[in-house]
Amino acid sequence: MRIALASGDGIGPEIMAATLDLFRAAGVDRHVEFVPVEMGKSVFEKGNTRGMTDEAVRVVEDCGLLFKGPMETPKGGGGKSINVTARKIWSAFANYRHFRSLPGVKTPFSHLDLDFAIVRENVEDTYGGIEHRMSDDVTVCKRVISAPGSDEVMRFAFEAARRSGITLVHCGHKANIMKLTDGMFLERFKAIAAGYPEITTGDVIVDALCMNLVMKPKQYRMVILPNLQGDIVSDLAAGLVGGLGFAPSANIGSNISIFEAVHGTAPDIAGKGIANPTALVLSGLMMLRHIGLVRHAAAIENALLSALEGGVRTGDFGDPQRPVLGTADFIKGIAARLGSEPRTVKPAAVPAGGADAVTARPPVRPAGPVVMHTFTGLRKEIVGVDMYLDGKLSAAATAAMLERTCEGSPFRLSLISCRGTQVWPRGSVFTECVDYWRARFEVRDGATVGQQEAVQLVGKVAQEHVVTEYALLRTFDGVRGFSMAQGQ
Ligand code: NAI
């Protein structure tokens, strides 16, 4: 099996070299060939804004697996994070993070012996980075949540739960506020959960989830979250078990999966040989299990647990009475314990029927782009159009102009809102407004319209106003596909 290998920037090369030493000592390279690829800072510096060479892309797509160190995102200049790019272009739709209390890693929560997982949707949400400046004073980011995208991450999570014997799965969300986007995420959670009757499910609003994770973390075994909320909650969870040095992650896709530590390039300690490689080792163990090397993974994990238990540590954690080791010596301390098992915590076990050979296969290149569907053939009816206007006039003055504009058309102006709050025809004089308005036009009683009439109205409004964006208001099988304004 070939695995593409990108060591990363900053502390990346140090922790990657150490991790591979440990894997070699455990015999992993008898089953796996690591193929180096060029990604990250050195590629950005050559003016390649994607941060990866074409050859790197080809190798990753041929292998289907990428083991990567942290990579620096160029600051400013519009350069996108290579880490997010990799997850998105290769559709690594589920970010799986496993959190457990480790021996020798003291936190205020260590005594609880935590063991839980966060599955974060990894491709959609605000991470599309679809952002626009709409007016002098307003910027906007589009949040995309799709039914097939949600279904994929839900299915992955429930399958992972079933495989690991997890019988309690929650969905974290904010569907009380974002009724359509988070509402769809939660609805798909419930729909997919129905196929796993042996698993108990629940849902929790994300702010309450954060509090519960600090107050009573043991009540969760697996939580599935949309991208941004999952990003934040999973760092909170990392804090419960010892911080970034101990937070591994797997970015799982149908064809290509990426394994990396959660932390960044740690520029403050790069080149000093003192970084903690544990998170990368743990990410590598997720990868070994993913490809079927479950015995190797268990042996390395038990050596790591036994070393941590014995006080082997880098400078960022552990018993201050024990000597601080550099990255390479820390790994030697683990390698020396291969074949041992921890005494104070449950050793890693090989699941019944677990293989000791690679079972994963490289991906088959699809003939063209893959288009996914969850729903097809819903009956869609246009009931109005929202237009977003960049303007300095008051809501009342704007409304007077817009009402004149739509006279004689099949639409009537039904509301104006600012920052989501209705300010016309009703509102409060205390509502503070900015220079970006949403004008909602609804189809007059008895009229039927198509997209053509809606676009004609946009054209008419644009003669007097700057229309930065419009959105059709539609029903889907009779269900409203747009939100109400606050105060409506
Ligand atoms: P960071 O995670 O690199 O560092 C935060 C703090 O944690 C620093 O004090 C650092 O020394 C410490 N730290 C991190 N990993 C450590 C380790 N293994 N051992 C010991 N101490 C460790 O976060 P920061 O400073 O916000 O980001 C630095 C760069 O990394 C940025 O360019 C950022 O874009 C990139 N980054 C890359 C990621 C990736 O490749 N997946 C993830 C996060 C950030």
Side-chain angles (χ1 to χ4, degrees):
M1 177 98 212
R2 293 164 79 235
I3 298 178
L5 181 87
S7 292
D9 307 317
I11 59 170
E14 303 160 43
I15 55 174
M16 184 60 85
T19 302
L20 294 183
D21 282 347
L22 177 61
F23 283 14
R24 212 170 291 120
V28 170
D29 55 350
R30 282 201 291 277
H31 302 269
V32 169
E33 180 198 348
F34 289 102
V35 187
V37 292
E38 205 187 344
M39 292 173 79
K41 191 177 177 189
S42 64
V43 184
F44 282 118
E45 281 174 352
K46 285 178 201 152
N48 178 330
T49 50
R50 191 149 79 151
M52 46 183 111
T53 61
D54 290 346
E55 173 66 4
V57 171
R58 193 187 59 75
V59 173
V60 174
E61 292 183 354
D62 284 350
C63 295
L65 293 164
L66 171 64
F67 190 29
K68 73 176 274 294
M71 289 174 193
E72 197 177 304
T73 298
K75 292 203 178 70
K80 295 262 187 183
S81 157
I82 186 172
N83 308 303
V84 178
T85 302
R87 292 169 204 162
K88 286 173 71 76
I89 63 168
W90 289 316
S91 301
F93 53 76
N95 183 279
Y96 183 86
R97 297 187 187 177
H98 180 200
F99 302 95
R100 62 180 289 196
S101 304
L102 292 164
V105 186
K106 270 243 153 319
T107 81
F109 300 89
S110 311
H111 62 287
L112 292 174
D113 192 20
L114 299 178
D115 185 357
F116 64 99
I118 303 270
V119 180
R120 159 187 166 195
E121 195 288 318
N122 217 15
V123 176
E124 305 191 336
D125 201 338
T126 46
Y127 281 68
I130 307 169
E131 297 187 294
H132 295 92
R133 184 161 179 170
M134 293 302 196
S135 66
D136 290 345
D137 290 335
V138 175
T139 50
V140 165
C141 177
K142 197 166 228 170
R143 184 162 191 256
V144 178
I145 303 282
S146 78
S150 304
D151 284 358
E152 271 194 316
V153 72
M154 300 304 169
R155 265 190 226 105
F156 163 78
F158 278 102
E159 283 299 317
R162 183 175 267 176
R163 261 196 320 275
S164 6
I166 293 176
T167 52
L168 178 63
V169 177
H170 283 85
C171 178
H173 61 85
K174 196 76 186 171
N176 53 330
I177 304 294
M178 290 170 280
K179 294 181 194 299
L180 261 68
T181 46
D182 275 22
M184 176 177 269
F185 194 75
L186 179 57
E187 180 192 305
R188 299 318 303 158
F189 170 79
K190 290 178 180 167
I192 301 296
Y196 298 83
E198 79 280 18
I199 296 179
T200 306
T201 57
D203 72 277
V204 54
I205 293 176
V206 66
D207 38 348
L209 171 66
C210 289
M211 183 183 69
N212 295 345
L213 277 171
V214 175
M215 306 268 301
K216 277 192 187 167
K218 294 273 285 188
Q219 64 188 291
Y220 300 108
R221 290 288 288 116
M222 176 184 280
V223 187
I224 314 173
L225 292 134
N227 205 341
L228 178 60
Q229 296 162 24
D231 190 8
I232 296 165
V233 171
S234 53
D235 270 23
L236 186 156
L240 303 179
V241 298
L244 289 176
F246 302 93
S249 84
N251 302 282
I252 304 291
S254 304
N255 295 294
I256 297 172
S257 298
I258 305 163
F259 298 82
E260 61 179 338
V262 169
H263 62 71
T265 58
D268 49 339
I269 56 167
K272 296 184 179 161
I274 59 172
N276 177 1
T278 308
L280 188 63
V281 170
L282 291 171
S283 312
L285 295 185
M286 290 170 109
M287 180 175 72
L288 296 185
R289 291 191 165 106
H290 180 79
I291 63 173
L293 292 181
V294 287
R295 283 177 204 280
H296 293 76
I300 297 169
E301 184 169 329
N302 283 332
L304 170 68
L305 293 172
S306 151
L308 293 175
E309 197 177 63
V312 175
R313 69 175 191 119
T314 46
D316 55 314
F317 77 99
D319 179 353
Q321 309 296 324
R322 300 276 185 165
V324 169
L325 301 179
T327 312
D329 287 334
F330 176 79
I331 286 289
K332 279 186 195 143
I334 301 169
R337 285 170 170 81
L338 280 166
S340 322
E341 288 199 344
R343 286 169 288 103
T344 58
V345 292
K346 211 166 92 195
V350 177
D356 53 3
V358 171
T359 51
R361 293 279 162 270
V364 177
R365 190 173 281 274
V370 181
V371 180
M372 306 185 294
H373 295 289
T374 293
F375 302 111
T376 45
L378 296 189
R379 188 171 39 81
K380 295 169 213 168
E381 195 184 335
I382 296 177
V383 295
V385 56
D386 274 352
M387 286 179 222
Y388 294 84
L389 311 179
D390 168 5
K392 296 270 192 286
L393 293 176
S394 70
T398 308
M401 290 172 76
L402 293 174
E403 281 195 304
R404 273 197 303 277
T405 309
C406 63
E407 263 170 24
S409 85
F411 295 93
R412 64 178 179 86
L413 180 69
S414 66
L415 77 90
I416 294 182
S417 68
C418 192
R419 295 191 288 180
T421 305
Q422 177 176 241
V423 290
W424 183 94
R426 280 185 301 147
S428 164
V429 286
F430 291 103
T431 304
E432 293 172 332
C433 294
V434 292
D435 58 357
Y436 176 64
W437 310 90
R438 181 207 9 209
R440 172 162 291 178
F441 298 88
E442 290 181 43
V443 174
R444 292 182 199 275
D445 287 345
T448 46
V449 299
Q451 189 175 351
Q452 201 62 27
E453 286 81 4
V455 172
Q456 267 164 14
L457 182 65
V458 174
K460 274 176 87 178
V461 171
Q463 288 169 12
E464 291 187 313
H465 302 267
V466 176
V467 182
T468 60
E469 195 184 11
Y470 78 91
L472 295 177
L473 305 181
R474 293 190 292 174
T475 56
F476 292 75
D477 275 355
V479 178
R480 203 178 54 223
F482 50 94
S483 60
M484 310 274 279
Q486 214 74 41
Q488 195 179 355

